[in-house]
Structure formats: structure tokens, C-alpha cells
């Protein structure tokens, strides 16, 4: 999909792939900012997954918290695959940080506290994150 345009988002790079979909970096051609686009993988594309995907987008878009990525948009590609457009967090995953042993105790505790605050905010709205793992936690250049 690199080089393709979905709605007004030009795909520039693949970030990663999970059980449900693929995440790309894209340029919002209207606002001139980088965003992350999560698409349902063709293998997972079914009515059940689309419903779950839309439910995920709606739930997350209802949240406003500094430790939770902001959802900007939801839609479908020309070939009918659902996508979510969200804030692109420039940084490293907690998984990468753990693998390279770049964490001291103080920083580890600060990250754990931030993740707990984000989860508490989601839980207050009745949202349960079903895939918390180090590769789904981003730490930006400010350590947030």
C-alpha cells in the first residue's frame, strides 16, 4: 500500500502488523501532518471484524487523555477495507526499550504509572483494552 492514497491520506511507510490489521504512517494531505492508519488485514476482513473495528474506533474516539492516542477519522478504502486514522506517536515502543535494556527503575515506574492512568481513564468510560503489551505502548521523545 506504500504510495497509495486512502481518502486524503497518502501512505508512506509500514509501521507494523498485528493479528487484526496493518498499521502505516501516512501524510494527511489536507492538514500536512503525519498520521497512523490502521487497516483491517485482508485475511481478517469479515463482517465480525469490521463491526469490532468500528466499535474500537468509536470507543477510543470518546477518550481524551494525554496517554492515549487520538483518533482522527474512520472510513473504508475503495475496495471496502475499514481503516482508522489516529495520532502518529513518534518514538519507541516499550517492547523495543525493554529489548535494548534502555530503562532504569525510575523511568520504568513512570511508564507503568502513565499506562495505568490511561487504562483507568478508559475503564472509567467502560472501555477495556484487550491487547496491552509492550509493543502497543509508545514512548515519545519526551519520555511520555
Amino acid at each position: 500500500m506504500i504510495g497509495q492514497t486512502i481518502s486524503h491520506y497518502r501512505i508512506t511507510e509500514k509501521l507494523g502488523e498485528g493479528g487484526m490489521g496493518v498499521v502505516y504512517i501516512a501524510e494527511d494531505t489536507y492538514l500536512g501532518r503525519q498520521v497512523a492508519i490502521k487497516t483491517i488485514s485482508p485475511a481478517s476482513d469479515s463482517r465480525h471484524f469490521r463491526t469490532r473495528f468500528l466499535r474500537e474506533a468509536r470507543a477510543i474516539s470518546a477518550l481524551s487523555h494525554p496517554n492515549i492516542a487520538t483518533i482522527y477519522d474512520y472510513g473504508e478504502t475503495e475496495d471496502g477495507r475499514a481503516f482508522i486514522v489516529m495520532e502518529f506517536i513518534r518514538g519507541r515502543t516499550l517492547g523495543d526499550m525493554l529489548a535494548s535494556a534502555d530503562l532504569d527503575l525510575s523511568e520504568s515506574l513512570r511508564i507503568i504509572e502513565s499506562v495505568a492512568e490511561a487504562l483507568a481513564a478508559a475503564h472509567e468510560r467502560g472501555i477495556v483494552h484487550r491487547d496491552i503489551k509492550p509493543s502497543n505502548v509508545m514512548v515519545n521523545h519526551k519520555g511520555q
Side-chain angles (χ1 to χ4, degrees):
M1 291 194 60
I2 309 300
Q4 294 182 12
T5 300
I6 297 175
S7 181
H8 59 279
Y9 306 100
R10 187 172 46 251
I11 308 295
T12 58
E13 183 180 336
K14 183 178 176 180
L15 276 178
E17 194 165 347
M20 209 168 128
V22 183
V23 180
Y24 299 94
I25 297 176
E27 178 189 356
D28 179 332
T29 60
Y30 289 166
L31 299 176
R33 64 180 171 191
Q34 283 190 314
V35 297
I37 295 185
K38 182 178 183 180
T39 63
I40 293 179
S41 65
S44 299
D45 199 358
S46 69
R47 180 180 228 77
H48 168 74
F49 278 111
R50 279 176 199 248
T51 301
R52 189 170 142 199
F53 204 65
L54 177 56
R55 187 173 39 241
E56 174 185 332
R58 284 181 175 156
I60 298 168
S61 71
L63 298 174
S64 178
H65 190 277
N67 296 327
I68 299 174
T70 302
I71 297 290
Y72 296 138
D73 200 358
Y74 173 86
E76 289 188 6
T77 62
E78 290 180 6
D79 62 354
R81 287 197 302 161
F83 67 89
I84 298 171
V85 180
M86 64 188 90
E87 175 183 10
F88 172 61
I89 309 296
R90 187 175 307 281
R92 297 172 61 195
T93 69
L94 180 56
D96 290 341
M97 294 173 77
L98 290 169
S100 64
D102 285 345
L103 292 172
D104 60 26
L105 180 59
S106 175
E107 187 172 8
S108 298
L109 291 172
R110 192 180 47 68
I111 292 170
I112 290 167
E113 182 179 22
S114 295
V115 171
E117 289 172 0
L119 291 171
H123 291 174
E124 286 173 7
R125 299 292 304 259
I127 298 165
V128 176
H129 193 301
R130 299 183 308 186
D131 198 21
I132 284 294
K133 57 187 175 187
S135 62
N136 284 344
V137 175
M138 291 295 300
V139 180
N140 69 16
H141 66 281
K142 295 178 184 177
Q144 300 170 313

